[in-house]
Amino acid sequence: MISRVFLNDLYGGKYIIFIQGYGQFYDAMTASSREMIRSRHTSFIPSTTEQRRFVKNDKRRDNLISEFIVTEDNYVASLRAFITSIVHPIRMRARDKQKRILGPYECGKVFMNIEQILQVNEAFRLDLARYQSTSSNNNNNTATSGTGNEADPSSQQQQQLDFGEICLIHLRRFVGCYHKFLLGVENAQTFNTKEQKDNPTYDAYLDKIKGTMGNQTVYDYLALPGQRVGRYTMFLKELMKHTTDDHPDLPSLTEALKTAEEIANMSEDYHTKLIKIFHNMLQSIQHCPASLLSQQRSLICHLDASELDPQTLRPAHPVTLFLFTDKLMVVRRPSYVSDGLELCGLDHERDKTTGMLSLLVRKAESSSKRLDRKLKFRGWISLNDIEIHDGAAELPTSFTLVTSVTDTASETDPQTRDALEGYFLEDAFRLFHVSGEYTSTPTKTLMQEKEKFVEQFGKAKSSHRRHDEHLLEFTQSQWKGRYFFANIYRLSTYSMLPNKSEMAIAYLREDSLSNMKAQLTNCYIIPHMLGFIIPEDDHFK
């Protein structure tokens, strides 16, 4: 199998890597995380002030696990049937105006990232099957050991992870994609109902395949992930009732339950909270576009900085950069000592698990009908159209925003686009500096603030360019002070991706070159620069 890895170097370079033998690489990359989980929980001791009740029953415990694996198989089978029979056929025709059932926009609204949900659950199901097979082999070996037959030591080594560790690893991988899906599922179901009513082609297609799908509707399939997460929490609670305090599974099961509950509860009050945050921003920022309000958008972080004159390196304006999941917005602050987030009537709180900002409306402003508009909107731009580069050499906490608008067929009319993006379009290079001159903040702290913003920017940009229906995996790394983010795709889907990198590095076997050339010929846009890494025995060339 040949896969594609999209690496985004935050300081300008962009790469694509095609990987041969993705499974081996994935196992190698995740080995350290598995060891980390083992070491983190080996000394788990229940709190003496909070005694846990349990009833030791190994048979009941084994039955619960077996039943859970069966239900996970059924869940994955249902998702696969939905995607194979409905989602993929409709997506494949989306760009063909003669044969389309739903357009690309409508597909995204209804199906969202359901393929990514299937991907992570198939990986979970596969590890569960391996666990079950290894457990069965170990039991058989134990039964035959009394007859003089020795158990194969290699089979004892196959079970690298306990059941609890498997659950914990995969539930943590669920967080991002399930979060995105659960936040939009209510809108997706509503949009689906509207399309069935207003789009006779879509309704006719669903009616045509109704016989093969039983009584399940699109609405029902979209509800499956949320229902499954609820069952994860119930299963883990029941399993822990029969897990002793000294059982090796207990630490991981405890953490897995916390993660499952976080996923199940994350969408409850999210939209209400989001509306309040954006409402405060609209009231606080003069000329802030009303289109800021969107249930598909969230605020990741902010950075107070000074915009510098690139010629003299002198401060020109105090600004605040607001990083959203799809855009970067710059607003002007009234002074260098003011906090942009506080002027929006918001408090800082960073989520310890995801690193995302958890924002709350300040109590002092919650009863106020209108906030003073001390901030002034300068402009915003899509994350697809902007990059972060190094700043001035003599200012280590500086950085440059470089605009490179590529979407000439924007749905926004030119006048509105100029009003919103004119700040970036007027000057493609803008220099910023995180300065402690007015606040006496240590340089080390300022560097950390800058680096954290750069990292969050890279994550957001990579996520925004991600195409979940084709995504195999996402990963990130840091090397020599540079951040790299990878979206991994199959080579066969590369030509379908609208956002491609200017530079590419291909990792593949020599016999795969012709296949890659064939794929590149189908691309409307290809990389400007393409390099190759080819494995040879124990080295590369």
Side-chain angles (χ1 to χ4, degrees):
M1 180 184 70
I2 301 176
S3 307
R4 171 210 178 219
V5 179
F6 178 96
L7 292 183
N8 185 15
D9 178 352
L10 297 187
Y11 292 91
K14 301 178 196 168
Y15 310 95
I16 302 170
I17 296 181
F18 299 95
I19 292 184
Q20 178 71 36
Y22 168 69
Q24 296 175 359
F25 275 82
Y26 183 80
D27 289 342
M29 287 190 297
T30 57
S32 60
S33 64
R34 290 196 291 263
E35 290 301 318
M36 181 177 66
I37 291 175
R38 285 182 181 274
S39 62
R40 182 184 300 169
H41 298 302
T42 51
S43 59
F44 176 84
I45 301 176
S47 171
T48 56
T49 60
E50 190 175 322
Q51 291 298 327
R52 195 177 62 88
R53 294 184 178 182
F54 63 88
V55 177
K56 183 177 181 180
N57 189 333
D58 290 340
K59 184 176 181 180
R60 170 62 176 161
R61 196 174 182 281
D62 290 343
N63 289 338
L64 283 170
I65 293 175
S66 297
E67 292 170 3
F68 174 76
I69 294 175
V70 171
T71 58
E72 185 68 17
D73 286 343
N74 294 337
Y75 171 57
V76 169
S78 295
L79 289 180
R80 191 183 298 113
F82 174 46
I83 291 172
T84 302
S85 300
I86 298 178
V87 180
H88 277 178
I90 293 178
R91 284 200 195 271
M92 291 295 291
R93 304 182 197 179
R95 298 189 181 277
D96 188 332
K97 293 183 178 180
Q98 301 299 323
K99 299 180 180 180
R100 72 169 49 170
I101 300 170
L102 294 177
Y105 172 78
E106 289 77 12
C107 285
K109 292 285 287 186
V110 175
F111 304 132
M112 298 183 292
N113 62 326
I114 189 65
E115 290 94 341
Q116 192 179 11
I117 298 291
L118 174 61
Q119 175 199 333
V120 295
N121 277 95
E122 281 189 323
F124 186 29
R125 183 198 63 80
L126 182 61
D127 274 352
L128 290 175
R130 289 171 178 166
Y131 168 83
Q132 191 174 42
S133 175
T134 305
S135 298
S136 177
N137 290 338
N138 288 343
N139 290 336
N140 291 336
N141 289 333
T142 302
T144 58
S145 61
T147 63
N149 298 324
E150 294 185 3
D152 182 2
S154 63
S155 66
Q156 302 289 340
Q157 297 174 0
Q158 290 176 2
Q159 187 177 344
Q160 298 179 354
L161 293 175
D162 294 324
F163 180 79
E165 290 174 327
I166 293 174
C167 292
L168 177 57
I169 288 172
H170 286 279
L171 283 171
R172 284 178 171 170
R173 291 175 185 164
F174 287 4
V175 173
C177 58
Y178 269 83
H179 186 197
K180 181 176 181 179
F181 185 88
L182 294 177
L183 289 181
V185 68
E186 186 175 344
N187 287 338
Q189 290 171 323
T190 302
F191 197 89
N192 168 70
T193 302
K194 179 179 179 297
E195 282 296 313
Q196 284 188 255
K197 181 180 178 181
D198 300 340
N199 184 341
T201 305
Y202 180 51
D203 189 55
Y205 178 80
L206 296 180
D207 188 63
K208 178 181 177 181
I209 65 171
K210 185 181 296 183
T212 63
M213 305 305 293
N215 296 323
Q216 292 284 87
T217 64
V218 172
Y219 189 99
D220 297 330
Y221 281 115
L222 291 174
L224 287 178
Q227 295 169 355
R228 187 60 183 167
V229 171
R231 293 191 176 97
Y232 287 151
T233 60
M234 291 189 292
F235 161 73
L236 291 170
K237 288 178 180 178
E238 184 64 22
L239 185 64
M240 289 175 66
K241 290 180 182 178
H242 304 287
T243 304
T244 59
D245 286 342
D246 59 351
H247 197 287
D249 267 353
L250 183 59
S252 299
L253 289 176
T254 303
E255 293 299 316
L257 177 59
K258 290 180 181 178
T259 304
E261 289 176 336
E262 288 174 5
I263 297 173
N265 298 329
M266 61 177 45
S267 62
E268 291 296 323
D269 301 319
Y270 181 84
H271 290 301
T272 301
K273 179 180 175 182
L274 191 65
I275 293 299
K276 289 181 179 179
I277 289 172
F278 286 162
H279 180 69
N280 264 41
M281 296 185 75
L282 282 171
Q283 286 190 322
S284 307
I285 303 172
Q286 188 177 2
H287 305 308
C288 185
S291 55
L292 173 70
L293 287 169
S294 172
Q295 292 187 345
Q296 305 303 317
R297 175 182 297 130
S298 61
L299 176 60
I300 299 176
C301 65
H302 86 295
L303 181 70
D304 290 330
S306 301
E307 184 172 0
L308 304 181
D309 184 314
Q311 302 300 325
T312 65
L313 301 184
R314 292 180 179 177
H317 308 288
V319 298
T320 297
L321 292 84
F322 288 103
L323 178 63
F324 299 95
T325 48
D326 61 335
K327 291 182 181 291
L328 179 68
M329 181 169 72
V330 177
V331 301
R332 184 170 174 175
R333 287 180 290 144
S335 70
Y336 289 96
V337 296
S338 56
D339 186 307
L341 200 65
E342 289 183 358
L343 290 175
C344 287
L346 303 174
D347 275 334
H348 316 67
E349 279 190 4
R350 186 172 297 281
D351 189 289
K352 295 180 180 179
T353 302
T354 64
M356 300 280 283
L357 277 181
S358 177
L359 301 174
L360 298 173
V361 176
R362 293 171 64 89
K363 293 182 179 180
E365 283 81 8
S366 60
S367 59
S368 175
K369 293 182 178 180
R370 191 172 187 83
L371 299 173
D372 293 334
R373 296 192 173 215
K374 298 178 180 179
L375 298 169
K376 294 183 179 180
F377 177 81
R378 301 287 290 165
W380 71 2
I381 196 165
S382 169
L383 295 182
N384 283 338
D385 298 329
I386 196 162
E387 300 283 352
I388 287 186
H389 292 259
D390 288 327
E394 58 268 44
L395 297 174
T397 59
S398 66
F399 60 93
T400 305
L401 290 178
V402 180
T403 305
S404 56
V405 178
T406 56
D407 183 12
T408 56
S410 173
E411 297 180 359
T412 308
D413 65 271
Q415 185 176 359
T416 303
R417 180 167 184 171
D418 288 344
L420 299 181
E421 302 181 2
Y423 170 82
F424 291 98
L425 299 177
E426 289 170 4
D427 193 343
F429 297 87
R430 291 192 175 270
L431 181 63
F432 298 90
H433 181 219
V434 186
S435 173
E437 180 180 354
Y438 304 95
T439 59
S440 302
T441 306
T443 302
K444 182 179 179 181
T445 302
L446 297 174
M447 282 295 297
Q448 291 173 346
E449 290 180 4
K450 172 207 165 183
E451 291 300 320
K452 190 63 180 178
F453 180 80
V454 169
E455 180 184 5
Q456 293 293 339
F457 177 90
K459 288 181 180 179
K461 185 176 177 68
S462 180
S463 177
H464 186 54
R465 299 184 69 153
R466 197 172 300 153
H467 300 273
D468 293 323
E469 65 269 28
H470 303 304
L471 187 71
L472 290 177
E473 185 63 36
F474 165 74
T475 187
Q476 68 178 75
S477 63
Q478 185 177 8
W479 181 64
K480 292 188 176 181
R482 307 283 175 154
Y483 295 97
F484 296 86
F485 303 89
N487 294 327
I488 305 171
Y489 303 95
R490 297 180 190 276
L491 177 61
S492 58
T493 64
Y494 177 61
S495 60
M496 305 177 190
L497 307 176
N499 296 323
K500 298 182 177 66
S501 304
E502 290 83 2
M503 300 176 63
I505 299 175
Y507 181 104
L508 71 172
R509 297 181 309 189
E510 290 188 11
D511 58 4
S512 303
L513 284 172
S514 59
N515 187 22
M516 194 189 72
K517 290 178 181 178
Q519 288 295 328
L520 290 177
T521 58
N522 295 327
C523 296
Y524 179 73
I525 298 176
I526 62 174
H528 297 166
M529 185 179 297
L530 183 62
F532 299 94
I533 299 177
I534 301 176
E536 281 194 350
D537 298 328
D538 58 346
H539 67 282
F540 304 95
K541 71 173 185 178

